[in-house]
Amino acid sequence: MSHLHLIAEFPLTWVIVGLLVIVVFWFVALYNGLVRLKNVAKEAWAQIDVQLKRRHDLIPNLVETAKGYMKHEAGTLEAVIKARQTAVNVTADPNAGPAAVAKAENALAGVMKQFMMLTENYPDLKANQNMLQVQEELTSTENRISFARQHYNDSVRRYNTKLEQIPTNIVKNFVWDAFQHGLFHADLH
């Protein structure tokens, strides 16, 4: 009779072990999904960083070209350099989040917009080949920043949504050092 008893319990033991294995694989899959989404968001942020650095590198060339033509606009040129340096410093700060970077970059964009409007008053400057080339590169970079920002915001939205959805939010509460990425908002005014 003890033989029959072992045979009757054997399938139940395997069912329990099988269920535990399934739960472990499910848990690992959810965790790995969070890791993947977090890394995609970090990679997207790195792309924004690359494009912002490219913009920061172009601005001194633009200002240097304009200096010879815009002698009476020294205050504007200094404001551009100061806003650029602030943006460079904030972008280089590893503790600065998207909100701080966006604030500095929006301030820089505002000063650059004012600068570009002033260049309209200087026809010789507008015709300068170096100025035209740098402006074209800057416009291209602005487009790249826009695309990178859109990709970042999409990645962050997917990541943050996944963190809040059931059952992933249960997994994150057990083992995940979760943090919510902030979106990168540009001031388009």
Side-chain angles (χ1 to χ4, degrees):
M1 217 186 225
S2 65
H3 233 198
L4 290 174
H5 181 65
L6 285 175
I7 293 173
E9 287 184 19
F10 185 72
L12 181 60
T13 303
W14 282 111
V15 168
I16 292 171
V17 169
L19 287 174
L20 285 175
V21 168
I22 289 170
V23 167
V24 167
F25 278 115
W26 170 77
F27 187 84
V28 168
L30 288 177
Y31 181 83
N32 287 341
L34 286 174
V35 170
R36 183 182 55 78
L37 290 172
K38 182 179 179 181
N39 288 337
V40 167
K42 283 182 176 181
E43 180 183 312
W45 181 254
Q47 288 303 313
I48 288 176
D49 191 49
V50 166
Q51 297 308 323
L52 292 177
K53 286 178 182 170
R54 177 178 161 85
R55 178 203 286 169
H56 298 158
D57 291 344
L58 288 171
I59 290 173
N61 296 338
L62 196 67
V63 170
E64 194 58 40
T65 301
K67 267 185 185 176
Y69 296 91
M70 299 176 69
K71 292 180 173 120
H72 302 300
E73 309 292 349
T76 301
L77 296 174
E78 288 173 17
V80 169
I81 294 299
K82 182 179 177 186
R84 176 203 172 264
Q85 191 57 51
T86 299
V88 166
N89 292 343
V90 171
T91 303
D93 182 357
N95 297 320
V101 172
K103 182 179 178 185
E105 291 299 328
N106 287 336
L108 176 59
V111 172
M112 287 301 296
K113 186 176 182 181
Q114 180 184 4
F115 170 78
M116 296 310 279
M117 287 182 355
L118 283 174
T119 63
E120 296 296 318
N121 298 331
Y122 298 89
D124 292 342
L125 176 60
K126 285 176 32 181
N128 180 293
Q129 283 302 109
N130 190 36
M131 184 69 164
L132 291 172
Q133 180 183 358
V134 174
Q135 281 180 317
E136 185 177 318
E137 288 180 40
L138 196 55
T139 299
S140 173
T141 300
E142 294 297 333
N143 290 335
R144 290 177 186 174
I145 291 169
S146 177
F147 290 129
R149 186 179 59 245
Q150 181 179 357
H151 174 61
Y152 171 76
N153 286 343
D154 289 345
S155 299
V156 167
R157 192 173 297 108
R158 281 192 301 274
Y159 172 70
N160 289 343
T161 300
K162 191 69 160 177
L163 283 175
E164 295 172 3
Q165 291 176 330
I166 294 174
T168 313
N169 66 347
I170 296 167
V171 171
K172 83 159 183 181
N173 289 334
F174 282 115
V175 296
W176 191 252
D177 180 19
F179 63 96
Q180 297 243 338
H181 288 279
L183 299 178
F184 185 82
H185 296 287
D187 184 7
L188 302 176
H189 300 0

